[in-house]
Structure formats: structure tokens, C-alpha cells
Amino acid sequence: MSHEPTTPPGLPDVLGPGLDVLFCGINPGLMSAAKGQHFARPGNRFWPALHLSGFTPRLLTPAEQDELPRYGLGITNLVARPTARADELTAEELRAGGARLTSVARRHRPKVVAVVGVTAYRAAFGRKAAAIGPQDETIASSRLWVLPNPSGLNAHYQLPALAEVFGRLRLEVAQAD
């Protein structure tokens, strides 16, 4: 695991060589920042969706985030600043996060960058019409996907639907190998 210089000390990026997918959250929630663990709030469905989609052989906990690179997975965030809700972020923070994500992708060269949150992706990259799923563009040399936000606050996607979209991404990655 490496630590990016712009990552806050309590919530490091989870990175490793040869990543298949680099998941990019919006920003740390207050609980994630306090624990130093990505997607740490109990109602967050990232870890269950990751497992149910077949990315991991068992359900990992946020405390086990450093195991992700062994499965070819990593995690970063668009914005380092913790907030209670993602809508507290400014457009400027999100655009700067898009530039940072591009830099991280260029340096680590994952096969796919998967931004977790379509609204944040639209703001960070100026893609007002972006939808969930694979995108036509790339980030650095990485293919790009946009996934639903797994926060418990996102009522549009329940766990089965999240796992289905995550599973489509996993199948695309497996077919590309």
C-alpha cells in the first residue's frame, strides 16, 4: 500500500501495483475519517456490494481495507476533506479532486477507475449527462466507470441493485484479462 502526498494522515489511499480497479469515493465521511477506514459507516453498502458482486471472496470489513490490493483493488477519494454529507463539498473541491484522481490514475495505472457517485463525477469532470455504467472517456490510460454512491443516504439504489452494477464492472474487468 502506498500513501499519496495529498491524502489526509488519518485516511490513506489504499493502493498497490497492478490494480484492476481503483474505486474512488467522493470524500471521507466523519466516521471514516475518525477511524481511518474507507466506507466505515455501518449503513454504507460498499463492502457488501464488493463481496456480493464477486470482487472479494468474503465480506471484508472497513478495518480490512489493506487486503484489497491482493484482490487487485484499491480505494481513493476525490476530495480529502471529511464532511457529514457529500453535498457539503464545493464545486471547486470536486474539480480539484478530478485533477488529483487523474494524477493518481496516471501514476498507478489501474485497468479501470470506478468513481462511486454519479453526481460527484459529473461535477468533478464537467460531464452533466454522465450516467451509471461504463463511460466513453478514460482517466489517464484507465477505462472509466461510474457507480452509484453506496451510502445509506442513497435510497435510489438498494444493495441488490448496487451489487448488480458492481458485478457488471467485475465481469468487464474479467473479460478484459
Side-chain angles (χ1 to χ4, degrees):
M1 181 177 78
S2 70
H3 299 268
E4 292 299 316
T6 56
T7 302
L11 192 57
D13 287 346
V14 177
L15 300 165
L19 293 179
D20 290 325
V21 181
L22 174 60
F23 292 96
C24 181
I26 301 167
N27 74 310
L30 299 177
M31 181 175 287
S32 288
K35 289 185 165 194
Q37 300 167 355
H38 293 270
F39 302 105
R41 182 163 290 288
N44 194 294
R45 297 160 303 185
F46 175 80
W47 298 101
L50 205 62
H51 172 61
L52 292 172
S53 65
F55 273 115
T56 60
R58 66 179 180 83
L59 177 59
L60 299 176
T61 67
E64 297 173 299
Q65 67 187 14
D66 290 342
E67 292 187 30
L68 288 176
R70 85 161 64 163
Y71 302 114
L73 308 174
I75 302 179
T76 189
N77 283 298
L78 282 170
V79 178
R81 182 171 69 91
T83 60
R85 297 175 52 100
D87 62 7
E88 296 174 40
L89 300 172
T90 67
E92 294 79 22
E93 285 176 300
L94 290 167
R95 283 192 299 273
R100 177 188 175 276
L101 178 58
T102 300
S103 175
V104 171
R106 188 174 294 114
R107 195 165 30 257
H108 293 278
R109 300 169 47 137
K111 291 177 186 171
V112 176
V113 171
V115 178
V116 183
V118 68
T119 302
Y121 170 75
R122 290 172 181 157
F125 291 94
R127 304 289 189 258
K128 293 181 169 83
I132 300 296
Q135 306 300 302
D136 292 332
E137 64 194 285
T138 60
I139 291 184
S141 62
S142 303
R143 293 190 318 267
L144 174 63
W145 266 70
V146 176
L147 297 171
N149 185 339
S151 167
L153 298 174
N154 181 3
H156 298 293
Y157 277 86
Q158 296 304 313
L159 183 56
L162 281 171
E164 189 274 325
V165 176
F166 276 56
R168 284 192 291 141
L169 168 58
R170 187 190 58 76
L171 287 175
E172 181 180 304
V173 170
Q175 290 171 352
D177 286 342

